[in-house]
């Protein structure tokens, strides 16, 4: 019994490893080489860490390391890799799939056209094809006509005593035309026919034939298509590209375009400066308001503190996108409640969405509203950790609340709060949701040739450049995202270095 139990663990491990290797093989077969490689590295690390007694201490860290590899490292490397390709809505496929797509294209031949009717029967529909000149007719077996998956039906000569229900009307044929278009009917002599019209099937033939040199020849026109590994298209002899395109490596072309194309440089510096200001001011305002409220709510003489805490935390509890959409209605120039109040008191109706300055102020107001509750809760916890003896000694010395804040509270909570401030800055640097839902980056610049707005930050500018300017350019978007990532890393490192220097000087 003991001998058999010793083999249970290795047997289970072996079965799990085989299953994972099979999964990796399937992922690799689908063309996801990078994902398959990442999974293979994780499996190899798991075998080494859990199989070697020298790595026993790392067994508890490995799940976190594996999660970081899958959800952080892999997406980052994948994004960087896409930035070196021409991946876009026009170049979606791999080369082999694009070539096969063209080779699978068919065209209606010059053979006999067969009048076709569709008859409902038990279990689906039957197609009746008739050659009036040869006085022949054929029937197919039942088919569902429900999906759009390609299928081949065998047709047999129609029996003399065949009794079929009334054929489908034109309206019903239109509803099923996509399913009929996917059908290929093979006649008894081997001829294949496909849909040429709602009531007609005709012989089909391959449109392109592959040549020994890898080019494709159009069998109707004789034109030759050759793959261009620089542009990612099959092109005619005149250089005209043909869809679908395929992915090719283009090196640093996207990065050169970012830094040398005049269209990109026009608004980039202004948007970068506003992005830094937006992130910095948001952190400053949200932290200041949150810290002020935390200090007030820690005042012992304040009554109903629990109610105030709950009410002030509500903005953080409500989903952010809902709050943003609510504020969008509140700031409406004509019917928003904010302008109605301002009109009654001061007689003004600010154009929040059309004035660049007011639009930026609106973004800061809304983002401060969304961010201060979290800062308030964190500061409340940090203030609670400050020894009460310090405040008692300060009271004996005759210090007031303002002195206590600047001399005791702020110095003791700013150090543990610094990492949170840095991460908050990095988050707001890429706060796409707020910009997209509230202003959409508008009002737009009037002196640029690309879609860019005065309230755009770098990430929303990237989205508009890569996906709204000239189609879905995933490679360009990945390249710009990589540049933004490097900018955020650089700013974060400078911030961390600066705070470290400040702490060292204080010591």
């Amino acid at each position: 019994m003991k001998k058999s139990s010793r083999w249970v663990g290795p047997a289970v491990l072996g079965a799990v490893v085989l299953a994972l290797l099979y999964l990796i093989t399937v992922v690799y077969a689908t063309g996801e080489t990078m994902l398959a490689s990442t999974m293979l590295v994780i499996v190899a690390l798991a075998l080494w860490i859990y199989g070697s007694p020298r790595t026993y201490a790392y067994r508890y860290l490995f799940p976190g390391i594996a999660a970081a590899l899958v959800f952080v490292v892999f997406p980052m490397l994948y994004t960087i890799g896409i930035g070196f390709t021409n991946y876009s809505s026009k170049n979606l496929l791999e080369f082999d799939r694009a070539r096969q797509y063209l080779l699978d294209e068919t065209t209606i031949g010059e053979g006999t056209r067969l009048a076709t009717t569709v008859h409902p029967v038990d279990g689906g529909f039957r197609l009746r094809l008739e050659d009036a000149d040869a006085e022949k007719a054929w029937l197919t077996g039942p088919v569902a006509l429900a999906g759009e998956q390609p299928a081949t039906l065998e047709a047999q000569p129609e029996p003399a005593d065949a009794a079929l229900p009334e054929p489908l009307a034109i309206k019903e044929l239109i509803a099923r035309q996509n399913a009929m278009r996917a059908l290929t009917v093979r006649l008894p002599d081997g001829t294949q026919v496909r849909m040429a019209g709602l009531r007609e099937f005709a012989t089909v033939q391959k449109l392109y034939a592959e040549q020994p040199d890898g080019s494709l020849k159009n069998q109707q026109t004789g034109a030759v298509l050759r793959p261009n590994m620089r542009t990612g298209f099959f092109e005619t002899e005149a250089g005209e590209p043909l869809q679908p395109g395929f992915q090719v490596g283009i090196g640093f072309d996207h990065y050169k375009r970012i830094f040398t194309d005049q269209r990109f440089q026009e608004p980039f510096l202004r948007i970068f400066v506003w992005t830094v200001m937006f992130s910095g001011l948001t952190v400053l305002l949200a932290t200041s308001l949150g810290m002020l409220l935390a200090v007030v709510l820690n005042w012992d003489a304040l009554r109903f503190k629990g109610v105030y805490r709950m009410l002030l935390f509500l903005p953080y509890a409500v989903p952010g996108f809902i709050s943003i959409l609510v504020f969008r209605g509140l700031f409406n120039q004509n019917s928003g409640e904010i302008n109605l109040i301002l009109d009654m008191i001061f007689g003004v109706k600010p154009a929040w969405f059309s004035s660049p300055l007011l639009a930026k102020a609106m973004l800061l107001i809304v983002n401060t509203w969304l961010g201060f509750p979290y800062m308030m809760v964190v500061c409340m916890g940090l203030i609670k950790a400050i020894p009460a003896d310090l405040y008692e000694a300060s009271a004996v010395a005759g210090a007031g609340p303002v002195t206590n804040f600047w001399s005791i509270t702020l110095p003791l909570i700013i150090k543990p709060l610094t990492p949170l401030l840095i991460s908050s800055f990095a988050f707001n640097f890429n706060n796409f949701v707020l910009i997209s839902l509230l202003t959409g980056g508008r009002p737009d610049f009037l002196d640029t040739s690309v879609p860019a707005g005065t309230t755009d930050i770098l990430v929303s500018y990237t989205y508009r450049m890569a996906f709204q300017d000239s189609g879905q350019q995933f490679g360009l978007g990945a390249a710009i995202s990589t540049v933004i990532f490097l900018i955020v890393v650089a700013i974060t490192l400078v911030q961390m270095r600066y705070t470290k220097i400040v702490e060292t000087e204080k010591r």
Side-chain angles (χ1 to χ4, degrees):
M1 189 70 177
K2 292 182 179 180
K3 291 182 178 180
S4 62
S5 62
R6 287 189 303 176
W7 294 98
V8 173
V12 173
L13 179 61
V16 172
V17 170
L18 289 176
L20 291 174
L21 291 176
Y22 172 76
L23 178 61
I24 293 172
T25 304
V26 172
V27 172
Y28 177 78
T30 60
E32 298 293 340
T33 306
M34 187 177 294
L35 179 57
S37 301
T38 304
M39 295 173 63
L40 185 61
V41 169
I42 293 174
V43 172
L45 284 175
L47 288 175
W48 177 54
I49 290 175
Y50 289 101
S52 174
R54 291 182 297 179
T55 57
Y56 189 87
Y58 295 99
R59 297 180 182 182
Y60 303 98
L61 299 175
F62 179 75
I65 295 173
L69 288 174
V70 173
F71 299 108
V72 178
V73 177
F74 171 73
M76 181 176 64
L77 294 178
Y78 187 73
T79 301
I80 294 174
I82 290 177
F84 292 96
T85 69
N86 66 338
Y87 187 33
S88 67
S89 57
K90 296 180 179 179
N91 301 86
L92 284 172
L93 304 179
E94 300 290 339
F95 171 73
D96 291 336
R97 292 184 62 187
R99 181 187 60 183
Q100 193 60 46
Y101 179 90
L102 294 174
L103 290 174
D104 289 340
E105 280 198 37
T106 58
T107 182
I108 303 299
E110 298 180 357
T112 304
R113 293 177 176 262
L114 306 178
T116 305
T117 54
V118 181
H119 303 265
V121 295
D122 293 338
F125 302 89
R126 299 183 71 179
L127 276 63
R128 182 180 184 275
L129 299 89
E130 181 180 3
D131 184 348
D133 295 335
E135 297 183 352
K136 293 181 180 179
W138 299 268
L139 287 177
T140 68
V143 61
L145 293 183
E148 298 182 17
Q149 294 297 322
T152 301
L153 300 177
E154 298 291 340
Q156 301 298 330
E158 180 183 26
D161 57 348
L164 295 174
E166 289 295 320
L168 297 182
I170 189 70
K171 180 179 179 180
E172 296 171 309
L173 290 176
I174 292 174
R176 294 172 175 81
Q177 62 176 330
N178 291 333
M180 293 174 60
R181 191 173 288 114
L183 296 178
T184 299
V185 178
R186 184 184 291 113
L187 301 180
D189 61 358
T191 303
Q192 293 186 355
V193 295
R194 296 188 65 182
M195 182 180 175
L198 289 175
R199 297 189 184 276
E200 190 177 57
F201 271 54
T203 54
V204 295
Q205 64 179 16
K206 296 290 185 181
L207 181 59
Y208 294 100
E210 188 171 12
Q211 303 294 101
D213 61 352
S215 61
L216 305 180
K217 183 178 181 180
N218 190 313
Q219 299 191 91
Q220 282 188 326
T221 64
V224 176
L225 302 179
R226 300 184 186 279
N228 188 328
M229 294 302 176
R230 186 179 60 85
T231 62
F233 289 99
F234 279 89
E235 297 180 351
T236 64
E237 295 178 350
E240 298 177 357
L242 192 70
Q243 290 286 354
F246 51 89
Q247 299 176 40
V248 294
I250 58 173
F252 289 89
D253 285 0
H254 286 316
Y255 295 94
K256 293 178 182 177
R257 184 180 174 189
I258 293 171
F259 294 107
T260 60
D261 191 334
Q262 186 62 32
R263 297 194 315 152
F264 282 80
Q265 294 179 356
E266 287 172 353
F268 185 85
L269 182 60
R270 285 179 285 180
I271 291 176
F272 173 73
V273 172
W274 160 241
T275 303
V276 175
M277 290 180 57
F278 168 75
S279 304
L281 289 174
T282 295
V283 173
L284 176 64
L285 295 174
T287 304
S288 300
L289 181 58
M291 192 179 299
L292 174 63
L293 293 173
V295 171
V296 172
L297 291 175
N298 274 282
W299 182 29
D300 293 334
L302 182 66
R303 300 177 61 187
F304 309 113
K305 289 189 291 185
V307 177
Y308 298 146
R309 289 193 190 108
M310 182 187 68
L311 293 176
L312 291 172
F313 188 73
L314 283 179
Y316 192 76
V318 177
F321 75 94
I322 294 178
S323 298
I324 294 170
L325 294 177
V326 169
F327 270 105
R328 184 169 182 170
L330 293 176
F331 279 102
N332 185 279
Q333 182 176 358
N334 297 317
S335 59
E337 283 76 4
I338 292 177
N339 271 13
L340 292 178
I341 295 173
L342 292 176
D343 186 34
M344 286 189 296
I345 299 176
F346 303 105
V348 295
K349 286 188 175 183
W352 296 100
F353 292 92
S354 57
S355 168
L357 181 61
L358 291 178
K360 292 178 179 180
M362 176 179 62
L363 284 171
L364 291 173
I365 292 171
V366 175
N367 214 22
T368 301
W369 170 266
L370 296 174
F372 87 84
Y374 181 69
M375 293 296 183
M376 180 190 70
V377 172
V378 172
C379 290
M380 286 174 60
L382 294 175
I383 292 173
K384 287 289 186 183
I386 298 176
D389 298 345
L390 297 176
Y391 293 105
E392 293 175 0
S394 177
V396 171
V402 176
T403 303
N404 286 342
F405 175 78
W406 289 107
S407 301
I408 300 175
T409 305
L410 184 61
L412 290 178
I413 69 174
I414 194 63
K415 182 178 178 180
L417 195 61
T418 299
L420 179 62
L421 299 180
I422 294 174
S423 62
S424 178
F425 178 89
F427 170 79
N428 285 289
F429 203 91
N430 293 312
N431 196 345
F432 175 79
V433 175
L434 175 66
I435 305 298
S436 177
L437 293 181
L438 191 58
T439 65
R442 294 169 179 82
D444 286 337
F445 289 117
L446 301 178
D447 57 349
T448 61
S449 57
V450 295
T454 54
T455 59
D456 266 322
I457 58 176
L458 285 177
V459 65
S460 63
Y461 170 64
T462 300
Y463 176 80
R464 297 179 71 178
M465 281 296 304
F467 303 108
Q468 293 184 348
D469 181 29
S470 55
Q472 297 179 340
Q473 302 183 59
F474 305 117
L476 176 62
I480 302 177
S481 298
T482 303
V483 173
I484 295 175
F485 167 74
L486 295 176
I487 292 174
V488 174
V489 169
I491 293 175
T492 303
L493 290 176
V494 169
Q495 290 175 330
M496 295 176 67
R497 177 65 178 168
Y498 173 75
T499 55
K500 184 178 180 180
I501 291 174
V502 171
E503 292 170 7
T504 304
E505 289 177 350
K506 287 182 179 180
R507 293 174 185 172

